[in-house]
Amino acid sequence: MKKPDGKVVLLGDMNVGKTSLLHRYMERRFQETVSTVGGAFYLKQWGPYNISIWDTAGREQFHGLGSMYCRGAAAVILTYDVNSLQSLTELEERFLALTDSASADCIFAIVGNKVDLSDDCTLPPDENRPEKSGASCGSKVQKQVRAEDAIALYKKILKYKMLDEKDVPAAEKMCFETSAKTGYKVDYLFETVFDMVVPIIIRQKAEGPPQTVDITDYKPAKRTKSGCCA
Ligand SMILES: Nc1nc2c(ncn2[C@@H]2O[C@H](COP(=O)(O)OP(=O)(O)OP(=O)(O)O)[C@@H](O)[C@H]2O)c(=O)[nH]1
Ligand SMILES: [Mg+2]
């Protein structure tokens, strides 16, 4: 198997549709899924580069694996369900810290999936959110997360990473709404991310393999008579 040149990771709560988004993009269809165990990846040829796209498990029991999957990632796609405010909150509370192991210039995309369930049912900006999720709006449910909520999260991520808004892609460009079921904006999402990942791959290649410390090289320091180290 060809070694991947760069890595993109999907993170987010269980059931938000990470696996379905990847199926839609890679296999061009929407099919029944089972909740992901651990993680799995696809390889995508993008121009001369080979990009691995990692699908991770949202289930709490696999949480510890997340930062391992993010190691060296050039992009992280933080995914939520537009009909679940909790799934957006979880991105900040549970998943953001996992990205500490990603590449220093990792790009972040925030993706609200399942828009097909709430098309044309966006809450007016000044209206309070309904008490319960799934409030009726014709035959659809009322969307729980507004685009502005995702943009606010993107800005919090920049703060967390101590990045200046001037140095990174604009929030409006990096917040997406998709439907894995209908395919709405799925190609646009992945292809926008891949285009942004290419310069990171080029830089990573120019810098060579990451500098790591080989602990087998470690030799204990000789002790002097005084008990101090030489
Ligand atoms: N209506 C609708 N349903 C979706 C969409 N995307 C996923 N689903 C459904 O939501 C459920 C969960 O989808 P998955 O893709 O397995 O979710 P996941 O984020 O991979 O979940 P974990 O693997 O447990 O982390 C499945 O029943 C999907 O069919 C979508 O865009 N629209
Ligand atoms: Mg999954």
Side-chain angles (χ1 to χ4, degrees), residues 18-19 34-36 55-56:
K18 301 176 295 298
T19 303
V34 286
S35 187
T36 305
D55 180 22
T56 62

Side-chain angles (χ1 to χ4, degrees), residues 123-140:
L123 288 173
D126 56 348
E127 196 175 307
N128 290 327
R129 290 192 172 89
E131 289 295 306
K132 288 186 212 142
S133 72
S136 147
C137 173
S139 61
K140 307 255 178 171

Side-chain angles (χ1 to χ4, degrees), residues 4 82 95 148 169 179 203 212:
V82 291
F95 293 96
E148 303 90 87
S179 167
R203 186 197 52 73
T212 51

Side-chain angles (χ1 to χ4, degrees), residues 100-170:
D100 289 353
S101 56
S103 175
D105 50 4
C106 174
I107 60 147
F108 291 86
I110 302 183
V111 178
N113 188 41
K114 305 198 188 182
V115 281
D116 59 282
L117 294 175
S118 54
D119 289 340
D120 306 322
C121 276
T122 312
L123 288 173
D126 56 348
E127 196 175 307
N128 290 327
R129 290 192 172 89
E131 289 295 306
K132 288 186 212 142
S133 72
S136 147
C137 173
S139 61
K140 307 255 178 171
V141 290
Q142 215 163 34
K143 203 164 149 188
Q144 290 287 299
V145 186
R146 293 188 293 243
E148 303 90 87
D149 299 326
I151 288 174
L153 174 62
Y154 185 81
K155 293 186 175 170
K156 279 187 191 170
I157 293 174
L158 298 190
K159 261 199 183 150
Y160 176 78
K161 298 278 171 190
M162 292 190 283
L163 291 168
D164 197 312
E165 277 186 50
K166 295 195 300 295
D167 303 329
V168 294

